[in-house]
Amino acid sequence: MRKSRSTAVVLLGGTAVLGLVLTGCTGGTGGGGEAQGEITQEDIDAAMETPTELTFWTWVPDIDQQVAMFEETYPEIDVTVENVGQGLPHYQKLRSAIEAGEGAPDVAQVEYQYIPSFVLSESLLDLAPYGADDISDDYVEWAWNQVSPDEAVWAIPQDVGPMGNLYREDILATAGITEPPATWEEYAQAAQAVKEATGSYISNLGATQAGQMIGFFWQAGVKPFGYDGAETVTIDVNSDEAKAVADYWTQLIQADLISTDVDFNDEWYQGLANGKYAGWLTAAWGPVFLQGTAEGTSGLWRAAPLPQWEEGENVSGNWGGSSDAVLATSENPIAAYVLAEFINHDQESAMSLATEQFLFPPQVSVLEDPAFVDLKSEFYGGQEVNKLFAEISETVDTDFQWLPFMDYVYSSYEETMGTQIAAKGDIAAALDAWQDQLVSYAEDQGFTVE
Protein backbone atom coordinates (compact mmCIF):
# COMPACT_ATOMS: atom_id res chain seq x y z
CA MET A 1 0.00 0.00 0.00
CA ARG A 2 1.20 3.46 -0.73
CA LYS A 3 1.92 5.93 2.00
CA SER A 4 -0.74 8.34 3.17
CA ARG A 5 0.03 12.02 3.01
CA SER A 6 -1.08 15.19 4.68
CA THR A 7 -0.28 17.95 2.28
CA ALA A 8 -1.68 19.64 -0.73
CA VAL A 9 0.74 21.87 -2.48
CA VAL A 10 1.11 23.76 -5.70
CA LEU A 11 4.40 24.01 -7.56
CA LEU A 12 3.69 25.83 -10.72
CA GLY A 13 5.88 28.88 -10.77
CA GLY A 14 9.38 27.61 -11.55
CA THR A 15 11.92 29.35 -9.37
CA ALA A 16 9.39 31.87 -8.14
CA VAL A 17 7.45 31.46 -4.95
CA LEU A 18 5.98 28.01 -4.90
CA GLY A 19 2.64 28.94 -3.49
CA LEU A 20 2.95 25.97 -1.22
CA VAL A 21 0.04 25.59 1.11
CA LEU A 22 -0.05 22.85 3.67
CA THR A 23 -3.56 21.70 4.29
CA GLY A 24 -5.24 18.94 6.15
CA CYS A 25 -4.99 15.29 5.28
CA THR A 26 -6.35 14.33 1.89
CA GLY A 27 -5.33 10.71 2.16
CA GLY A 28 -4.41 8.45 -0.66
CA THR A 29 -1.53 8.66 -2.97
CA GLY A 30 1.61 10.03 -1.37
CA GLY A 31 1.64 12.83 -3.93
CA GLY A 32 0.77 12.89 -7.62
CA GLY A 33 -2.59 12.26 -9.19
CA GLU A 34 -5.21 10.19 -7.47
CA ALA A 35 -4.85 6.52 -8.20
CA GLN A 36 -7.46 4.67 -10.22
CA GLY A 37 -8.62 1.20 -9.39
CA GLU A 38 -6.59 -1.66 -10.75
CA ILE A 39 -6.69 -1.60 -14.54
CA THR A 40 -7.46 -4.94 -16.15
CA GLN A 41 -6.16 -6.26 -19.45
CA GLU A 42 -9.75 -6.04 -20.72
CA ASP A 43 -9.72 -2.31 -19.86
CA ILE A 44 -6.47 -1.87 -21.75
CA ASP A 45 -7.65 -3.82 -24.77
CA ALA A 46 -10.84 -1.79 -24.97
CA ALA A 47 -8.99 1.52 -24.64
CA MET A 48 -6.45 0.64 -27.31
CA GLU A 49 -9.22 -0.32 -29.76
CA THR A 50 -11.03 2.99 -29.25
CA PRO A 51 -10.19 5.91 -31.58
CA THR A 52 -8.18 8.27 -29.40
CA GLU A 53 -6.01 11.34 -29.84
CA LEU A 54 -2.98 11.87 -27.58
CA THR A 55 -0.54 14.74 -27.23
CA PHE A 56 3.10 14.07 -26.35
CA TRP A 57 5.50 16.87 -25.30
CA THR A 58 9.12 15.88 -25.77
CA TRP A 59 12.41 17.37 -26.92
CA VAL A 60 13.91 14.08 -28.14
CA PRO A 61 14.90 14.51 -31.82
CA ASP A 62 13.23 12.18 -34.31
CA ILE A 63 11.09 10.47 -31.69
CA ASP A 64 8.38 10.45 -34.32
CA GLN A 65 9.82 7.16 -35.51
CA GLN A 66 9.16 5.46 -32.15
CA VAL A 67 5.72 7.06 -32.09
CA ALA A 68 5.13 5.64 -35.58
CA MET A 69 5.96 2.16 -34.24
CA PHE A 70 3.38 2.69 -31.51
CA GLU A 71 0.73 3.89 -33.95
CA GLU A 72 1.39 0.91 -36.23
CA THR A 73 0.82 -1.42 -33.27
CA TYR A 74 -2.22 0.54 -32.08
CA PRO A 75 -3.78 2.01 -35.25
CA GLU A 76 -6.75 3.50 -33.40
CA ILE A 77 -4.47 5.82 -31.41
CA ASP A 78 -3.26 9.04 -33.03
CA VAL A 79 -0.35 10.82 -31.34
CA THR A 80 0.64 14.45 -31.87
CA VAL A 81 4.26 15.10 -30.94
CA GLU A 82 5.13 18.64 -29.85
CA ASN A 83 8.51 20.09 -28.90
CA VAL A 84 7.74 23.10 -26.71
CA GLY A 85 11.36 23.60 -25.69
CA GLN A 86 14.09 21.88 -23.74
CA GLY A 87 14.96 22.39 -20.12
CA LEU A 88 13.31 25.26 -18.28
CA PRO A 89 11.12 26.46 -21.20
CA HIS A 90 9.63 22.97 -21.39
CA TYR A 91 8.85 22.87 -17.68
CA GLN A 92 7.57 26.43 -17.57
CA LYS A 93 5.07 25.73 -20.35
CA LEU A 94 4.11 22.43 -18.77
CA ARG A 95 3.48 24.02 -15.38
CA SER A 96 1.60 26.90 -16.95
CA ALA A 97 -0.70 24.50 -18.79
CA ILE A 98 -1.28 22.47 -15.64
CA GLU A 99 -2.03 25.61 -13.64
CA ALA A 100 -4.39 26.90 -16.32
CA GLY A 101 -6.26 23.60 -16.34
CA GLU A 102 -6.07 23.31 -20.12
CA GLY A 103 -3.55 22.65 -22.83
CA ALA A 104 -1.42 20.13 -20.95
CA PRO A 105 -0.29 17.07 -22.91
CA ASP A 106 -1.23 13.49 -22.10
CA VAL A 107 2.43 12.40 -21.90
CA ALA A 108 5.45 14.59 -21.15
CA GLN A 109 9.21 14.25 -21.00
CA VAL A 110 10.42 14.82 -17.42
CA GLU A 111 13.99 14.60 -16.14
CA TYR A 112 14.36 12.51 -13.01
CA GLN A 113 15.27 15.38 -10.71
CA TYR A 114 12.06 17.23 -11.57
CA ILE A 115 9.66 14.33 -10.97
CA PRO A 116 9.23 15.16 -7.23
CA SER A 117 8.09 18.71 -8.06
CA PHE A 118 5.32 17.36 -10.27
CA VAL A 119 4.43 14.72 -7.69
CA LEU A 120 4.18 17.50 -5.13
CA SER A 121 1.63 19.35 -7.26
CA GLU A 122 -0.29 16.12 -7.90
CA SER A 123 0.29 16.57 -11.63
CA LEU A 124 1.40 13.04 -12.47
CA LEU A 125 -0.63 9.87 -12.76
CA ASP A 126 0.47 6.93 -10.63
CA LEU A 127 1.18 4.27 -13.24
CA ALA A 128 1.32 1.33 -10.82
CA PRO A 129 -2.40 0.43 -11.24
CA TYR A 130 -1.81 0.37 -15.01
CA GLY A 131 0.78 -2.39 -14.72
CA ALA A 132 4.00 -0.40 -14.56
CA ASP A 133 5.17 -2.38 -11.55
CA ASP A 134 5.25 -5.48 -13.73
CA ILE A 135 8.12 -4.10 -15.80
CA SER A 136 10.26 -2.79 -12.93
CA ASP A 137 12.71 -5.69 -13.13
CA ASP A 138 13.37 -4.88 -16.78
CA TYR A 139 15.33 -1.77 -15.75
CA VAL A 140 18.54 -1.24 -13.82
CA GLU A 141 17.48 -0.85 -10.22
CA TRP A 142 18.79 2.66 -9.60
CA ALA A 143 17.03 4.00 -12.70
CA TRP A 144 13.73 2.45 -11.71
CA ASN A 145 14.09 3.95 -8.24
CA GLN A 146 14.29 7.37 -9.85
CA VAL A 147 10.71 7.00 -11.13
CA SER A 148 9.43 4.85 -8.27
CA PRO A 149 10.94 5.83 -4.92
CA ASP A 150 8.13 4.01 -3.13
CA GLU A 151 5.10 1.98 -4.20
CA ALA A 152 3.92 4.50 -6.77
CA VAL A 153 5.35 4.69 -10.30
CA TRP A 154 5.47 8.21 -11.69
CA ALA A 155 7.06 7.68 -15.11
CA ILE A 156 8.78 5.18 -17.39
CA PRO A 157 12.60 5.58 -17.60
CA GLN A 158 13.91 6.54 -21.02
CA ASP A 159 17.61 7.32 -20.70
CA VAL A 160 20.25 7.67 -18.01
CA GLY A 161 23.75 9.10 -17.58
CA PRO A 162 26.04 6.87 -15.50
CA MET A 163 29.34 8.73 -15.24
CA GLY A 164 32.76 7.83 -16.61
CA ASN A 165 36.02 9.38 -17.74
CA LEU A 166 36.65 10.35 -21.38
CA TYR A 167 40.29 11.21 -21.92
CA ARG A 168 42.84 11.99 -24.64
CA GLU A 169 45.14 8.98 -24.71
CA ASP A 170 47.77 10.88 -26.71
CA ILE A 171 47.99 13.80 -24.26
CA LEU A 172 48.23 11.53 -21.23
CA ALA A 173 50.88 9.45 -23.02
CA THR A 174 52.96 12.59 -23.60
CA ALA A 175 52.89 13.04 -19.82
CA GLY A 176 54.03 9.45 -19.35
CA ILE A 177 50.61 8.15 -18.31
CA THR A 178 49.71 4.91 -20.05
CA GLU A 179 46.66 3.89 -18.02
CA PRO A 180 43.67 6.00 -16.95
CA PRO A 181 43.88 6.97 -13.26
CA ALA A 182 42.15 4.35 -11.13
CA THR A 183 41.78 6.51 -8.00
CA TRP A 184 41.17 10.19 -7.38
CA GLU A 185 44.64 10.36 -5.79
CA GLU A 186 46.13 9.06 -9.03
CA TYR A 187 43.95 11.49 -10.96
CA ALA A 188 45.43 14.43 -9.03
CA GLN A 189 48.94 13.15 -9.72
CA ALA A 190 48.07 12.73 -13.40
CA ALA A 191 46.65 16.26 -13.50
CA GLN A 192 50.00 17.59 -12.28
CA ALA A 193 51.95 15.53 -14.82
CA VAL A 194 49.69 16.49 -17.73
CA LYS A 195 49.83 20.19 -16.92
CA GLU A 196 53.62 20.18 -16.60
CA ALA A 197 54.26 18.11 -19.73
CA THR A 198 51.62 19.46 -22.09
CA GLY A 199 50.03 22.58 -20.63
CA SER A 200 46.60 20.94 -20.86
CA TYR A 201 44.13 20.66 -18.04
CA ILE A 202 43.30 17.04 -17.34
CA SER A 203 39.65 18.11 -17.31
CA ASN A 204 37.29 21.00 -16.62
CA LEU A 205 34.92 21.48 -13.70
CA GLY A 206 32.12 23.64 -15.06
CA ALA A 207 31.72 26.50 -12.61
CA THR A 208 27.94 26.53 -12.81
CA GLN A 209 27.38 22.86 -13.63
CA ALA A 210 25.47 21.50 -10.64
CA GLY A 211 24.68 18.24 -12.41
CA GLN A 212 28.34 17.26 -12.65
CA MET A 213 29.09 18.06 -9.00
CA ILE A 214 25.95 16.26 -7.81
CA GLY A 215 27.08 13.28 -9.87
CA PHE A 216 30.41 13.34 -8.02
CA PHE A 217 28.49 13.46 -4.73
CA TRP A 218 26.38 10.52 -5.90
CA GLN A 219 29.53 8.49 -6.59
CA ALA A 220 31.00 9.38 -3.18
CA GLY A 221 27.91 8.12 -1.37
CA VAL A 222 26.74 11.59 -0.37
CA LYS A 223 22.98 11.85 0.25
CA PRO A 224 22.37 15.58 -0.17
CA PHE A 225 18.62 15.41 -0.69
CA GLY A 226 15.62 13.49 0.56
CA TYR A 227 11.86 13.85 0.18
CA ASP A 228 9.11 11.80 1.78
CA GLY A 229 6.56 12.61 -0.91
CA ALA A 230 4.67 14.89 1.46
CA GLU A 231 5.93 17.85 3.49
CA THR A 232 9.27 16.65 4.88
CA VAL A 233 12.58 17.10 3.11
CA THR A 234 16.15 16.22 4.04
CA ILE A 235 18.89 18.68 3.07
CA ASP A 236 22.51 17.75 3.76
CA VAL A 237 24.65 19.25 1.03
CA ASN A 238 27.42 20.21 3.50
CA SER A 239 28.01 16.82 5.10
CA ASP A 240 31.56 15.73 5.91
CA GLU A 241 31.48 13.45 2.87
CA ALA A 242 30.38 16.29 0.59
CA LYS A 243 33.07 18.56 1.99
CA ALA A 244 35.70 15.91 1.32
CA VAL A 245 34.67 15.95 -2.36
CA ALA A 246 34.67 19.75 -2.35
CA ASP A 247 38.11 19.95 -0.74
CA TYR A 248 39.53 17.65 -3.40
CA TRP A 249 38.36 19.90 -6.22
CA THR A 250 39.36 23.06 -4.37
CA GLN A 251 42.96 21.82 -4.16
CA LEU A 252 43.12 20.96 -7.86
CA ILE A 253 41.54 24.24 -8.92
CA GLN A 254 43.74 26.39 -6.69
CA ALA A 255 46.81 24.55 -8.03
CA ASP A 256 45.60 25.46 -11.55
CA LEU A 257 45.42 21.79 -12.52
CA ILE A 258 41.69 21.90 -13.33
CA SER A 259 39.97 24.64 -15.32
CA THR A 260 36.62 26.06 -14.28
CA ASP A 261 35.22 27.25 -17.60
CA VAL A 262 31.46 27.43 -17.93
CA ASP A 263 30.57 24.43 -20.08
CA PHE A 264 28.39 23.94 -23.13
CA ASN A 265 29.40 27.17 -24.85
CA ASP A 266 31.71 27.88 -27.82
CA GLU A 267 34.85 28.37 -25.69
CA TRP A 268 34.29 25.06 -23.95
CA TYR A 269 33.59 23.24 -27.22
CA GLN A 270 36.86 24.62 -28.61
CA GLY A 271 38.69 23.48 -25.48
CA LEU A 272 37.57 19.91 -26.10
CA ALA A 273 38.60 20.12 -29.74
CA ASN A 274 41.98 21.87 -29.38
CA GLY A 275 43.45 19.98 -26.44
CA LYS A 276 42.96 22.59 -23.75
CA TYR A 277 41.19 19.80 -21.86
CA ALA A 278 42.80 16.36 -21.88
CA GLY A 279 39.60 14.78 -20.65
CA TRP A 280 35.98 15.15 -19.69
CA LEU A 281 34.41 13.57 -16.60
CA THR A 282 30.95 13.08 -17.98
CA ALA A 283 27.95 10.83 -18.40
CA ALA A 284 27.07 8.02 -20.79
CA TRP A 285 25.53 10.55 -23.16
CA GLY A 286 28.91 12.26 -23.39
CA PRO A 287 30.72 9.96 -25.84
CA VAL A 288 28.39 10.63 -28.77
CA PHE A 289 28.14 14.32 -27.86
CA LEU A 290 31.94 14.59 -27.88
CA GLN A 291 32.18 12.99 -31.33
CA GLY A 292 30.17 15.83 -32.78
CA THR A 293 32.03 18.49 -30.81
CA ALA A 294 35.64 17.38 -31.35
CA GLU A 295 35.38 15.58 -34.69
CA GLY A 296 38.96 16.45 -35.63
CA THR A 297 40.33 14.45 -32.69
CA SER A 298 38.76 11.18 -33.79
CA GLY A 299 40.77 8.16 -32.69
CA LEU A 300 42.57 10.00 -29.90
CA TRP A 301 39.97 9.59 -27.14
CA ARG A 302 39.38 6.68 -24.81
CA ALA A 303 36.77 5.93 -22.15
CA ALA A 304 37.25 4.61 -18.62
CA PRO A 305 35.32 4.41 -15.34
CA LEU A 306 35.49 7.34 -12.96
CA PRO A 307 38.49 7.27 -10.62
CA GLN A 308 37.58 5.79 -7.22
CA TRP A 309 37.90 7.27 -3.74
CA GLU A 310 39.24 3.97 -2.40
CA GLU A 311 41.50 1.62 -4.34
CA GLY A 312 39.58 -1.44 -5.48
CA GLU A 313 36.14 0.22 -5.30
CA ASN A 314 33.90 0.25 -8.34
CA VAL A 315 31.14 2.84 -7.94
CA SER A 316 29.76 5.65 -10.05
CA GLY A 317 27.18 8.40 -10.00
CA ASN A 318 24.66 9.61 -12.54
CA TRP A 319 24.36 12.87 -14.46
CA GLY A 320 21.20 13.46 -16.45
CA GLY A 321 18.57 11.26 -18.02
CA SER A 322 14.84 11.54 -18.37
CA SER A 323 11.55 9.70 -18.39
CA ASP A 324 8.08 9.86 -19.90
CA ALA A 325 5.28 10.65 -17.45
CA VAL A 326 1.51 10.64 -17.87
CA LEU A 327 -0.26 13.77 -16.71
CA ALA A 328 -2.98 13.27 -14.12
CA THR A 329 -5.25 15.45 -16.25
CA SER A 330 -5.15 13.11 -19.25
CA GLU A 331 -8.62 12.12 -20.38
CA ASN A 332 -7.16 8.97 -21.90
CA PRO A 333 -4.90 7.64 -19.14
CA ILE A 334 -4.76 4.05 -20.36
CA ALA A 335 -3.72 4.95 -23.90
CA ALA A 336 -1.28 7.54 -22.50
CA TYR A 337 0.29 4.94 -20.22
CA VAL A 338 0.60 2.41 -23.03
CA LEU A 339 2.31 5.08 -25.17
CA ALA A 340 4.85 5.89 -22.43
CA GLU A 341 5.50 2.22 -21.81
CA PHE A 342 5.72 1.23 -25.46
CA ILE A 343 8.23 3.88 -26.47
CA ASN A 344 10.58 3.01 -23.64
CA HIS A 345 9.94 -0.71 -23.13
CA ASP A 346 9.17 -2.24 -26.51
CA GLN A 347 12.46 -3.82 -27.56
CA GLU A 348 12.53 -2.42 -31.10
CA SER A 349 11.58 1.05 -29.91
CA ALA A 350 14.05 1.06 -27.01
CA MET A 351 16.85 -0.23 -29.25
CA SER A 352 16.23 2.48 -31.80
CA LEU A 353 16.32 5.13 -29.07
CA ALA A 354 19.73 3.77 -28.06
CA THR A 355 21.25 3.24 -31.50
CA GLU A 356 19.67 5.99 -33.61
CA GLN A 357 18.94 8.81 -31.14
CA PHE A 358 21.89 7.74 -28.96
CA LEU A 359 20.02 7.92 -25.67
CA PHE A 360 21.85 5.75 -23.18
CA PRO A 361 19.36 3.06 -22.13
CA PRO A 362 18.18 2.08 -18.66
CA GLN A 363 16.54 -1.11 -19.98
CA VAL A 364 18.45 -4.29 -19.13
CA SER A 365 17.59 -6.08 -22.38
CA VAL A 366 19.18 -3.25 -24.40
CA LEU A 367 22.19 -3.01 -22.10
CA GLU A 368 22.79 -6.72 -22.72
CA ASP A 369 22.04 -6.72 -26.45
CA PRO A 370 25.18 -7.39 -28.55
CA ALA A 371 23.79 -5.08 -31.23
CA PHE A 372 24.26 -2.25 -28.71
CA VAL A 373 27.14 -3.19 -26.43
CA ASP A 374 29.41 -4.71 -29.08
CA LEU A 375 29.46 -1.58 -31.21
CA LYS A 376 33.01 -0.36 -31.72
CA SER A 377 33.68 3.34 -32.01
CA GLU A 378 36.38 4.66 -34.36
CA PHE A 379 36.37 7.94 -32.44
CA TYR A 380 37.50 6.00 -29.35
CA GLY A 381 40.10 3.91 -31.13
CA GLY A 382 37.74 1.01 -31.74
CA GLN A 383 36.75 0.74 -28.09
CA GLU A 384 33.36 -0.77 -27.15
CA VAL A 385 32.24 2.34 -25.30
CA ASN A 386 28.62 1.23 -24.89
CA LYS A 387 29.77 -1.96 -23.17
CA LEU A 388 31.95 0.03 -20.78
CA PHE A 389 29.12 2.36 -19.78
CA ALA A 390 26.71 -0.59 -19.52
CA GLU A 391 29.10 -2.07 -16.95
CA ILE A 392 29.39 1.30 -15.20
CA SER A 393 25.60 1.51 -15.03
CA GLU A 394 25.61 -1.54 -12.78
CA THR A 395 27.75 0.34 -10.24
CA VAL A 396 25.52 3.36 -9.61
CA ASP A 397 24.17 3.73 -6.07
CA THR A 398 20.49 2.74 -6.10
CA ASP A 399 19.44 5.14 -3.32
CA PHE A 400 19.61 8.75 -4.47
CA GLN A 401 16.76 11.23 -4.16
CA TRP A 402 15.90 14.78 -5.15
CA LEU A 403 14.11 17.72 -3.59
CA PRO A 404 10.72 18.87 -4.89
CA PHE A 405 12.19 22.27 -5.77
CA MET A 406 15.24 21.47 -7.89
CA ASP A 407 14.83 24.64 -9.96
CA TYR A 408 15.72 26.61 -6.86
CA VAL A 409 18.44 24.11 -5.87
CA TYR A 410 20.23 24.70 -9.19
CA SER A 411 19.87 28.49 -9.14
CA SER A 412 21.13 28.56 -5.55
CA TYR A 413 24.07 26.34 -6.58
CA GLU A 414 25.14 28.85 -9.20
CA GLU A 415 24.92 31.69 -6.68
CA THR A 416 26.92 29.95 -3.96
CA MET A 417 29.01 27.10 -5.34
CA GLY A 418 29.36 28.50 -8.85
CA THR A 419 30.67 31.80 -7.60
CA GLN A 420 33.31 30.14 -5.45
CA ILE A 421 34.40 27.68 -8.13
CA ALA A 422 34.81 30.47 -10.68
CA ALA A 423 36.77 32.53 -8.14
CA LYS A 424 38.97 29.53 -7.23
CA GLY A 425 37.74 29.89 -3.68
CA ASP A 426 36.88 27.44 -0.89
CA ILE A 427 34.21 25.15 -2.31
CA ALA A 428 33.60 23.42 1.03
CA ALA A 429 32.77 26.78 2.60
CA ALA A 430 30.38 27.44 -0.26
CA LEU A 431 28.57 24.22 0.66
CA ASP A 432 27.66 25.82 4.00
CA ALA A 433 26.17 28.82 2.21
CA TRP A 434 24.29 26.53 -0.19
CA GLN A 435 22.94 24.50 2.75
CA ASP A 436 21.72 27.65 4.51
CA GLN A 437 19.96 28.93 1.40
CA LEU A 438 18.22 25.62 0.72
CA VAL A 439 17.07 25.15 4.31
CA SER A 440 15.78 28.70 4.52
CA TYR A 441 13.93 28.34 1.24
CA ALA A 442 12.38 25.00 2.21
CA GLU A 443 11.17 26.33 5.56
CA ASP A 444 9.76 29.46 3.92
CA GLN A 445 7.73 27.20 1.64
CA GLY A 446 6.32 25.26 4.57
CA PHE A 447 8.42 22.13 4.43
CA THR A 448 9.72 20.41 7.53
CA VAL A 449 13.48 20.10 7.13
CA GLU A 450 15.26 17.17 8.70
Side-chain angles (χ1 to χ4, degrees), residues 96-384:
S96 294
I98 293 169
E99 187 175 23
E102 61 180 357
D106 298 281
V107 180
Q109 198 89 21
V110 182
E111 292 162 282
Y112 299 116
Q113 66 268 31
Y114 292 113
I115 288 176
S117 69
F118 288 99
V119 172
L120 179 70
S121 59
E122 301 188 350
S123 302
L124 302 185
L125 188 69
D126 178 8
L127 305 180
Y130 296 80
D133 267 341
D134 296 341
I135 62 173
S136 61
D137 291 341
D138 296 340
Y139 293 85
V140 291
E141 183 180 359
W142 65 271
W144 189 259
N145 288 349
Q146 292 288 295
V147 301
S148 181
D150 49 30
E151 290 84 352
V153 180
W154 300 116
I156 305 299
Q158 181 163 93
D159 67 306
V160 290
M163 293 182 71
N165 176 20
L166 305 181
Y167 65 96
R168 283 279 297 271
E169 186 182 53
D170 58 324
I171 295 178
L172 267 62
T174 300
I177 302 166
T178 57
E179 296 291 336
T183 66
W184 286 112
E185 182 179 0
E186 291 180 11
Y187 193 78
Q189 295 167 353
Q192 179 82 45
V194 166
K195 189 68 185 299
E196 290 178 354
T198 70
S200 296
Y201 293 102
I202 195 167
S203 65
N204 179 70
L205 183 71
T208 58
Q209 188 51 262
Q212 187 182 32
M213 181 63 77
I214 291 173
F216 292 146
F217 286 164
W218 194 329
Q219 186 214 15
V222 178
K223 309 293 184 188
F225 313 124
Y227 176 48
D228 73 346
E231 73 265 28
T232 300
V233 297
T234 302
I235 301 173
D236 195 17
V237 300
N238 63 343
S239 65
D240 291 344
E241 295 80 4
K243 287 190 172 180
V245 175
D247 285 338
Y248 177 84
W249 290 108
T250 296
Q251 291 173 22
L252 290 185
I253 291 169
Q254 293 183 347
D256 197 32
L257 301 179
I258 294 285
S259 57
T260 58
D261 301 330
V262 174
D263 52 10
F264 298 98
N265 59 26
D266 287 344
E267 181 181 351
W268 180 77
Y269 299 144
Q270 292 168 11
L272 289 170
N274 64 23
K276 177 180 181 180
Y277 318 128
W280 182 24
L281 301 168
T282 186
W285 42 262
V288 172
F289 180 91
L290 183 62
Q291 288 181 221
T293 302
E295 187 177 1
T297 59
S298 179
L300 301 178
W301 291 83
R302 299 292 183 271
L306 283 181
Q308 302 295 306
W309 289 104
E310 298 292 339
E311 187 173 0
E313 281 188 338
N314 186 21
V315 294
S316 187
N318 181 70
W319 178 9
S322 65
S323 64
D324 288 328
V326 176
L327 275 292
T329 52
S330 173
E331 296 180 356
N332 301 287
I334 293 177
Y337 165 70
V338 175
L339 171 63
E341 180 197 309
F342 180 95
I343 287 176
N344 302 301
H345 187 260
D346 174 82
Q347 185 67 14
E348 182 182 2
S349 177
M351 271 294 292
S352 65
L353 284 171
T355 59
E356 296 179 35
Q357 278 104 319
F358 306 112
L359 302 183
F360 194 81
Q363 191 173 335
V364 174
S365 62
V366 180
L367 291 168
E368 295 178 346
D369 193 323
F372 175 70
V373 296
D374 290 350
L375 286 173
K376 295 183 179 180
S377 172
E378 182 180 344
F379 188 87
Y380 296 92
Q383 191 174 0
E384 295 173 336

